Amino acid sequence: MPQERVDPELIEPADAVPEPEAEAPAEPAKPGGRWWRGFTGSLAAGLTVLAIGVLVVAVIDLNTGAPGPGAVLLIGHPVAAILALLAQRVADRRNGAPAAGAGLAVVLFTVSALTLFWLT
């Protein structure tokens, strides 16, 4: 047997106080900060992918008997990637000078890793 649909009643207390509206943020976020964080995040992610790639190549070379990357590359890439990711975490969670300094650290870790491991 089909039942007819009944809408619920809206019952409000007699002494209902309207909710205060949410306040607007004090100052809008600067677009340059978002660009900088995106750039440094891309560098940190790219360095992480590069470190994983070096480790994968080392495993493949180990299994095939081919000469692979040396110990310096196998240790240096993951260390640089971890340091860059930690600095990027600080850059993402802070504002102002700490965020800018952490972003600069990400750039320095990336440039150092590429210079030391790929351009020498």
Side-chain angles (χ1 to χ4, degrees):
M1 165 176 217
Q3 296 180 359
E4 71 179 64
R5 182 174 174 87
V6 178
D7 291 329
E9 264 184 61
L10 178 62
I11 301 173
E12 294 183 16
D15 58 343
V17 178
E19 295 181 21
E21 294 187 21
E23 295 180 17
E27 60 184 62
K30 297 178 182 177
R34 187 183 326 187
W35 177 87
W36 177 247
R37 287 180 181 166
F39 175 68
T40 58
S42 297
L43 289 178
L47 195 57
T48 303
V49 169
L50 184 62
I52 292 170
V54 168
L55 293 174
V56 167
V57 166
V59 169
I60 292 171
D61 289 341
L62 183 65
N63 289 332
T64 61
V72 173
L73 287 176
L74 291 177
I75 295 170
H77 275 295
V79 168
I82 289 169
L83 291 173
L85 288 174
L86 290 174
Q88 182 60 36
R89 183 175 179 184
V90 171
D92 285 340
R93 294 172 186 250
R94 302 275 174 100
N95 291 324
L104 184 62
V106 171
V107 172
L108 291 177
F109 290 139
T110 304
V111 169
S112 297
L114 294 177
T115 302
L116 291 173
F117 303 135
W118 291 93
L119 296 179
T120 57

